[in-house]
Amino acid sequence: MNTLSQSQVSLSLSLFLVALHILLRLFPSAITYLALIPAKTIPFAWNLITAGYLEQSSYGVVLSTIGLLFIGKLLQPVWGPREFLRFIFLVNFLTSLCIFTTAIAFYYITRQERYLYMPLSGFHGVISGFLVGIKQIIPDQEIPFLKIKIKWLPSISLLCSMAMSFWTQEATAYLPTIIFGTYMSWIYLRYWQRKPETKLKGDPSEDFAFSTFFPEIFRPVIDPIASIFHRMLCGRSEASSDAQGYTLGAEPLPGSDPIEASRRRERGARALEERLATARSEGELQTDAAGKV
């Protein structure tokens, strides 16, 4: 797909989000069938998929659309439209599955039915996943005016969401999706995403370890805990991966990991520079046209 097609992917998804929101406004009862309501997921199992694309508030659909259009322009040139869509689908589905499992567990622990009947939905899980994606690609790029490195955006988003959940009930409903969206997107990028140029899977670099989401002071505590899940997710893959000169669980062989990480950052930085150059060119053309008029 060319650049135009890549833009059309984000635009089409944005229109789909808006269309579902309008449908919900016109037919409020549709929330029963489209949102994730744990008590009704069986037999309405399709809501594990549809819930991720249904925004219940106008505020939410605006933020999700803006995030999809702008962050998507950074990720699509690096991943490609097909991988971009695969990422959205899998993160949405896995996030909904985690929320369903957690809600059922909380009900059995507390016996409070609100965990079973609260309608949960929204694209913000994928938006949180996008932040993890740009953390992987251009971690050291600074946000203009804020002087904050992009690698801290997922952590800042989680922290702000947790803080807001103490003040508003609506933020509390968003929090599980943001938490699981962030974590499942990291799981996918860390262990499962295929690299067509290298025919390998995942990103085992130290710069993308789970502990990098936290300040350095906490990393000695977090690393041993994260290693448990690391072995659970990829312990069986290590033997077969070693034959290719690349490991997912143990330390990567010298040369393989730094090269891949460097290439990924170069592609991300190049895509960002191209976007900025295009924006500047369009601005100059508009200025010249206005001057001639």
Side-chain angles (χ1 to χ4, degrees), residues 264-285:
R264 182 180 298 106
R265 291 191 181 90
E266 288 177 1
R267 291 196 303 271
R270 193 182 309 117
L272 181 60
E273 290 174 0
E274 290 174 357
R275 293 293 178 185
L276 294 175
T278 302
R280 284 195 295 267
S281 300
E282 291 177 352
E284 292 174 356
L285 289 174

Side-chain angles (χ1 to χ4, degrees), residues 23-62:
L23 176 66
L24 184 62
R25 289 291 185 180
L26 295 177
F27 305 99
S29 61
I31 194 170
T32 304
Y33 303 98
L34 298 178
L36 176 61
I37 304 176
K40 299 182 178 181
T41 299
I42 300 174
F44 300 158
W46 60 80
N47 62 31
L48 291 171
I49 297 176
T50 58
Y53 306 96
L54 180 68
E55 287 289 355
Q56 299 182 39
S57 67
S58 300
Y59 173 77
V61 76
V62 169

Side-chain angles (χ1 to χ4, degrees), residues 252-271:
L253 292 180
S256 61
D257 172 50
I259 291 175
E260 171 60 20
S262 176
R263 287 176 179 172
R264 182 180 298 106
R265 291 191 181 90
E266 288 177 1
R267 291 196 303 271
R270 193 182 309 117

Side-chain angles (χ1 to χ4, degrees), residues 1 4-14 76 81 84-85:
M1 292 187 181
L4 180 61
S5 297
Q6 292 173 355
S7 301
Q8 288 175 344
V9 170
S10 294
L11 181 60
S12 299
L13 283 172
S14 299
Q76 286 189 67
F84 183 70
L85 289 173

Side-chain angles (χ1 to χ4, degrees), residues 22-119:
I22 294 174
L23 176 66
L24 184 62
R25 289 291 185 180
L26 295 177
F27 305 99
S29 61
I31 194 170
T32 304
Y33 303 98
L34 298 178
L36 176 61
I37 304 176
K40 299 182 178 181
T41 299
I42 300 174
F44 300 158
W46 60 80
N47 62 31
L48 291 171
I49 297 176
T50 58
Y53 306 96
L54 180 68
E55 287 289 355
Q56 299 182 39
S57 67
S58 300
Y59 173 77
V61 76
V62 169
L63 285 182
S64 293
T65 300
I66 292 174
L68 176 59
L69 291 174
F70 282 89
I71 305 179
K73 288 183 178 180
L74 295 176
L75 294 176
Q76 286 189 67
V78 180
W79 290 351
R82 183 174 297 178
E83 176 58 29
F84 183 70
L85 289 173
R86 183 185 294 113
F87 176 86
I88 290 174
F89 177 82
L90 288 177
V91 169
N92 250 334
F93 176 73
L94 293 173
T95 298
S96 295
L97 190 62
C98 289
I99 292 174
F100 170 75
T101 305
T102 303
I104 297 297
F106 277 6
Y107 167 72
Y108 280 108
I109 293 171
T110 64
R111 292 298 176 179
Q112 296 184 20
E113 292 189 353
R114 65 189 181 93
Y115 291 114
L116 295 181
Y117 293 98
M118 179 185 294

Side-chain angles (χ1 to χ4, degrees), residues 11-288:
L11 181 60
S12 299
L13 283 172
S14 299
L15 292 176
F16 182 61
L17 294 179
V18 173
L20 280 183
H21 178 69
I22 294 174
L23 176 66
L24 184 62
R25 289 291 185 180
L26 295 177
F27 305 99
S29 61
I31 194 170
T32 304
Y33 303 98
L34 298 178
L36 176 61
I37 304 176
K40 299 182 178 181
T41 299
I42 300 174
F44 300 158
W46 60 80
N47 62 31
L48 291 171
I49 297 176
T50 58
Y53 306 96
L54 180 68
E55 287 289 355
Q56 299 182 39
S57 67
S58 300
Y59 173 77
V61 76
V62 169
L63 285 182
S64 293
T65 300
I66 292 174
L68 176 59
L69 291 174
F70 282 89
I71 305 179
K73 288 183 178 180
L74 295 176
L75 294 176
Q76 286 189 67
V78 180
W79 290 351
R82 183 174 297 178
E83 176 58 29
F84 183 70
L85 289 173
R86 183 185 294 113
F87 176 86
I88 290 174
F89 177 82
L90 288 177
V91 169
N92 250 334
F93 176 73
L94 293 173
T95 298
S96 295
L97 190 62
C98 289
I99 292 174
F100 170 75
T101 305
T102 303
I104 297 297
F106 277 6
Y107 167 72
Y108 280 108
I109 293 171
T110 64
R111 292 298 176 179
Q112 296 184 20
E113 292 189 353
R114 65 189 181 93
Y115 291 114
L116 295 181
Y117 293 98
M118 179 185 294
L120 299 170
S121 65
F123 197 69
H124 39 281
V126 172
I127 298 299
S128 300
F130 285 167
L131 297 181
V132 177
I134 60 176
K135 166 187 169 67
Q136 181 194 40
I137 295 170
I138 44 175
D140 296 321
Q141 184 76 32
E142 285 192 348
I143 302 174
F145 308 111
L146 297 179
K147 300 300 181 181
I148 298 175
K149 289 187 177 181
I150 282 178
K151 66 180 179 181
W152 294 116
L153 286 183
S155 305
I156 293 173
S157 174
L158 280 172
L159 185 62
C160 291
S161 300
M162 291 178 182
M164 290 177 62
S165 66
F166 289 102
W167 299 98
T168 64
Q169 183 66 29
E170 184 179 0
T172 304
Y174 282 123
L175 186 58
T177 307
I178 293 174
I179 292 174
F180 286 121
T182 300
Y183 187 64
M184 296 313 301
S185 61
W186 176 79
I187 289 291
Y188 174 74
L189 296 174
R190 178 74 166 174
Y191 300 109
W192 299 335
Q193 187 184 51
R194 291 188 177 275
K195 305 294 188 303
E197 67 275 13
T198 60
K199 297 182 180 180
L200 300 173
K201 292 171 63 177
D203 178 3
S205 64
E206 292 184 0
D207 293 336
F208 197 55
F210 184 68
S211 59
T212 61
F213 287 83
F214 303 87
E216 291 186 8
I217 191 173
F218 297 114
R219 293 179 187 177
V221 178
I222 295 171
D223 278 331
I225 299 174
S227 66
I228 297 174
F229 296 97
H230 181 81
R231 288 191 294 269
M232 290 171 57
L233 286 166
C234 62
R236 296 180 180 179
S237 304
E238 293 176 8
S240 59
S241 299
D242 286 342
Q244 301 175 9
Y246 183 92
T247 64
L248 291 179
E251 291 295 325
L253 292 180
S256 61
D257 172 50
I259 291 175
E260 171 60 20
S262 176
R263 287 176 179 172
R264 182 180 298 106
R265 291 191 181 90
E266 288 177 1
R267 291 196 303 271
R270 193 182 309 117
L272 181 60
E273 290 174 0
E274 290 174 357
R275 293 293 178 185
L276 294 175
T278 302
R280 284 195 295 267
S281 300
E282 291 177 352
E284 292 174 356
L285 289 174
Q286 292 175 358
T287 302
D288 293 340

